[in-house]
Amino acid sequence: MEKIPPEIMAQVASYFQVLSEPTRLHILNLLQEGECNVGEIAQRCGYTAANISRHLSLMTKQGLLERRRQGTTVYYRIADPSVYALCELVCGNLARRLLQAAQVSGGWPQDASPMEHQGEP
Amino acid sequence: MEKIPPEIMAQVASYFQVLSEPTRLHILNLLQEGECNVGEIAQRCGYTAANISRHLSLMTKQGLLERRRQGTTVYYRIADPSVYALCELVCGNLARRLLQAAQVSGGWPQDASPMEHQGEP
DNA sequence: TGACTATTTAGTCAAACAGTCAAATAATGG
DNA sequence: CCATTATTTGACTGTTTGACTAAATAGTCA
């Protein structure tokens, strides 16, 4: 249907990879309320500032965040709000999947792995 | 705004992680044309069948694909077409970003790292 | 059953990554 | 300039991950 060049594929993969970390998603969630500095994000996430700074740097490099310096502190904010649309889409997929699994199987809301009973009698 | 439980965050991260690999994106792209068996996917991707089988297994476990066995060969197909919406959203983000960078800076279409000259007077 | 094919799994290796602490850098105020 | 505070970066560590080969499993057919 469409031959997609490998560099584009790699770019898209990189973008998704930025979103594939709970800590980074946590940061994005915090920043939904508005811009925030490194120290506070670190404190609220429960990690060291060094660690959070790395995550922020990565997300900025990927175009998700923007930096603003004021005095000695650095504030980060969302650069492209459409990431939230992505997250909601994924949440929707997951919810649909869980619902479906619950209907079919019985109803453990947690720890889904409905892959075993497929075609083995 | 919204306190999101960490397990949900981890689930979403896992979902994104599945999409964070060029090889897996390649597979998804192939499967857009219709279902396909392991060997052919492997051949078309240029990897070993063992490797591709692992990727397919992971994607199936995450709910992106479905399996169908016919004789000794196993066919995989898309379980949830909304992944393509996700990919297109990301492509849109990337394109917008590249355009913007090209306008501001000069116009290398490759190897973007427009992070140096931002706002420090 | 045994040969044959297709897929999956086990075991291994090297590269990438998240996390830490400590040192380096940047901005401000005495 | 020196001290202070906030952020970034360097060096290191344990874990994860994508790839491979080789062995195991599953299904078909003579």
Side-chain angles (χ1 to χ4, degrees):
Chain A
M1 276 226 160
E2 270 279 355
K3 179 56 189 161
I4 294 180
E7 325 122 29
I8 301 296
M9 213 77 99
Q11 287 265 340
V12 175
S14 293
Y15 193 101
F16 278 126
Q17 186 158 31
V18 171
L19 298 175
S20 72
E21 254 286 317
T23 308
R24 290 194 282 267
L25 292 180
H26 194 172
I27 293 173
L28 286 176
N29 195 41
L30 289 183
L31 291 180
Q32 213 166 3
E33 306 171 16
E35 71 173 10
C36 194
N37 62 52
V38 180
E40 187 175 345
I41 298 175
Q43 187 181 350
R44 291 226 254 159
C45 284
Y47 285 111
T48 58
N51 185 18
I52 295 301
S53 175
R54 284 186 201 284
H55 285 302
L56 292 169
S57 167
L58 178 65
M59 288 194 277
T60 307
K61 212 166 285 178
Q62 195 51 249
L64 298 181
L65 302 184
E66 279 172 351
R67 242 176 73 110
R68 178 178 71 88
R69 171 150 234 156
Q70 175 171 345
T72 67
T73 86
V74 175
Y75 291 87
Y76 284 89
R77 63 181 177 282
I78 297 295
D80 190 345
S82 74
V83 285
Y84 297 117
L86 278 172
C87 291
E88 280 173 30
L89 244 173
V90 169
C91 280
N93 286 3
L94 289 173
R96 205 178 324 143
R97 189 167 133 65
L98 283 182
L99 265 185
Q100 199 172 322
Q103 279 181 343
V104 168
S105 213
W108 15 256
Q110 211 90 320
D111 178 47
S113 58
M115 264 285 78
E116 281 74 15
H117 39 60
Q118 196 149 32
E120 299 94 318
Chain B
M1 269 217 169
E2 269 280 354
K3 178 56 189 163
I4 294 180
E7 324 122 28
I8 302 295
M9 213 79 99
Q11 289 264 340
V12 175
S14 293
Y15 193 101
F16 278 126
Q17 186 159 32
V18 172
L19 298 175
S20 72
E21 253 288 316
T23 307
R24 290 194 282 268
L25 293 179
H26 194 172
I27 292 174
L28 286 176
N29 195 41
L30 289 185
L31 290 180
Q32 213 167 3
E33 306 172 14
E35 72 173 10
C36 194
N37 62 51
V38 179
E40 187 175 346
I41 299 175
Q43 187 181 351
R44 292 225 255 160
C45 284
Y47 285 112
T48 59
N51 186 16
I52 296 300
S53 175
R54 287 181 94 102
H55 284 304
L56 292 170
S57 166
L58 178 65
M59 289 194 276
T60 306
K61 212 166 285 181
Q62 195 54 248
L64 297 182
L65 302 184
E66 280 173 350
R67 242 175 74 109
R68 179 177 71 88
R69 173 150 232 157
Q70 176 170 345
T72 67
T73 87
V74 175
Y75 291 88
Y76 283 88
R77 64 182 178 280
I78 297 295
D80 190 345
S82 73
V83 285
Y84 297 117
L86 279 172
C87 291
E88 280 173 30
L89 243 173
V90 169
C91 279
N93 287 2
L94 289 172
R96 207 178 321 144
R97 190 167 131 65
L98 283 182
L99 265 185
Q100 198 172 324
Q103 280 181 342
V104 167
S105 214
W108 16 256
Q110 213 91 317
D111 178 45
S113 58
M115 263 287 76
E116 282 73 17
H117 39 63
Q118 195 151 30
E120 299 92 314

